[in-house]
Amino acid sequence: MKEYIFGIDIGGTTIKLGLFKNDGKLLDKWEINTRKELNGKYIIQDIVSTLEEKLKNKNIIKDDIMGIGIGVPGPISEDGTVLMCVNIGWGVFNVVEEFQKLINLPIKVSNDANVAALGEMWQGGGKGYENVVMITLGTGVGGGIIVNSKVISGSHGAGGEIGHMNVSNNETKMCGCGNKGCLEQYASATGIVRTAKELLSNTTSSSRLRDVQNLSSKDIFDAAKNEDELAIKVIDDLGDKLGTALAHISCIVDPEVFVIGGGVANAGDILIKTVQKYFRKNAFHASIDTRFELAKLGNDAGIYGAAKLIL
Ligand code: ZN
């Protein structure tokens, strides 16, 4: 068995790269900037150059590399064709073929949220399980669904787009995707702040949040932990929408564990407890005891999962 694997996570501002042993141990990680100019045409050659440099520095020969796994920020079909990655300027082309023109190694590509889920299943919060649903609460809401250790990316690459499940028919503002009432509009960091601001302007009740400049989701969780009633209401609304959405998901894929990550998940226990409360209220009785875990790999989930694509 060849000894090393590269795991790569292509993001809108940086590309994260990891060199792994085939047993899952991360040996080295580094980052390069994502050059987005000219529709991201330099991205692939930048990655190949930095990998070749790394091989040289580490005295590793190409024959010892099992393959390169890559997570890209957009929908991608089974054969490696990207279908528009707006964040990095990519249109429609086959990523695997473009890489292989420059470097002769096995290449596997998948969507970044799915790859992060795979990483958490392999070495993070979902370790030891084979049926995992990962939810990433950051600026947006991402998701990844793993059934029997396999990522479900669906026929349009949209499998696991949990953030765009409709959870409200009363929404008047539009989500980034063009629909209204998506989970992302309430459960993302941006969404939580928006809910708080709306509550603050619609009520006169006192709240420590009224004096906070540049309100963040962390301020709201901190206030809720200190029993600020308005903040508790905001977190409760988030828990209701997210917990109910996860109850729907459990009726479809019935995972062993939900892993929650992203910046918002730094809130910890209070988030898990609130989401779990509404999950249990709405879940089908057989899946009511589904576990909830916090993600453990942070920003490294993507490189771990990308490496796992090769194994
Ligand atoms: Zn949406």
Side-chain angles (χ1 to χ4, degrees):
M1 191 168 166
K2 299 186 177 197
E3 216 173 335
Y4 304 101
I5 306 161
F6 282 119
I8 300 171
D9 181 14
I10 304 178
T13 37
T14 60
I15 298 166
K16 298 184 176 68
L17 305 102
L19 172 66
F20 292 83
K21 283 277 279 186
N22 58 21
D23 63 0
K25 188 165 179 266
L26 177 61
L27 300 174
D28 191 13
K29 60 170 178 170
W30 70 105
E31 286 183 13
I32 59 172
N33 288 327
T34 310
R35 282 206 282 162
K36 283 182 284 193
E37 58 260 40
L38 301 175
N39 295 325
K41 72 176 282 197
Y42 299 119
I43 291 175
I44 292 178
Q45 65 188 64
D46 284 352
I47 291 173
V48 172
S49 313
T50 187
L51 292 183
E52 283 178 336
E53 204 182 299
K54 186 60 69 179
L55 290 177
K56 215 170 129 192
N57 291 344
K58 296 262 174 195
N59 252 324
I60 297 172
I61 53 165
K62 228 179 258 178
D63 272 351
D64 267 342
I65 303 289
M66 203 185 259
I68 305 172
I70 303 160
V72 297
I76 189 147
S77 69
E78 201 89 354
D79 73 340
T81 305
V82 276
L83 314 158
M84 306 274 280
C85 293
V86 201
N87 283 346
I88 55 173
W90 283 2
V92 180
F93 67 94
N94 190 296
V95 185
V96 174
E97 284 170 11
E98 288 307 309
F99 264 99
Q100 281 174 336
K101 281 181 192 166
L102 300 176
I103 190 162
N104 185 24
L105 282 171
I107 310 279
K108 286 243 168 97
V109 189
S110 189
N111 166 269
D112 59 353
N114 290 337
V115 159
L118 206 54
E120 285 291 340
M121 180 197 76
W122 187 33
Q123 300 288 347
K127 195 171 179 175
Y129 300 102
E130 292 180 345
N131 297 284
V132 178
V133 172
M134 160 108 191
I135 310 99
T136 306
L137 308 175
T139 324
V141 172
I145 294 173
I146 297 168
V147 176
N148 297 331
S149 301
K150 201 175 175 308
V151 172
I152 305 296
S153 52
S155 51
H156 311 94
E161 284 289 356
I162 293 168
H164 300 286
M165 288 174 68
N166 182 284
V167 294
S168 168
N169 290 319
N170 307 317
E171 183 58 57
T172 54
K173 295 198 178 70
M174 211 181 263
C175 173
C177 74
N179 289 346
K180 287 176 185 166
C182 292
L183 179 62
E184 177 166 299
Q185 290 183 279
Y186 314 98
S188 62
T190 337
I192 298 166
V193 170
R194 185 181 73 129
T195 307
K197 283 184 174 164
E198 282 175 3
L199 257 182
L200 285 166
S201 63
N202 294 340
T203 60
T204 51
S205 59
S206 73
S207 165
R208 68 178 70 213
L209 296 178
R210 289 194 189 279
D211 306 320
V212 180
Q213 303 283 319
N214 300 320
L215 193 64
S216 69
S217 61
K218 183 178 185 298
D219 296 325
I220 299 162
F221 277 106
D222 287 346
K225 286 173 192 168
N226 285 303
E227 272 152 38
D228 184 281
E229 264 177 56
L230 190 136
I232 290 172
K233 231 176 180 172
V234 175
I235 303 308
D236 209 58
D237 181 67
L238 153 73
D240 189 355
K241 295 219 168 58
L242 181 54
T244 306
L246 298 185
H248 295 164
I249 290 173
S250 76
C251 288
I252 305 164
V253 294
D254 189 20
E256 296 163 275
V257 61
F258 288 103
V259 178
I260 305 187
V264 172
N266 291 333
D269 272 0
I270 183 173
L271 172 69
I272 297 281
K273 284 208 176 98
T274 317
V275 174
Q276 208 169 13
K277 176 175 124 190
Y278 287 98
F279 173 82
R280 293 181 68 93
K281 187 176 154 204
N282 295 299
F284 182 63
H285 58 81
S287 46
I288 204 159
D289 290 322
T290 306
R291 300 182 67 94
F292 280 75
E293 298 284 349
L294 289 167
K296 289 193 179 127
L297 301 175
N299 290 332
D300 291 342
I303 57 173
Y304 273 94
K308 180 73 171 85
L309 288 174
I310 297 297
L311 289 169

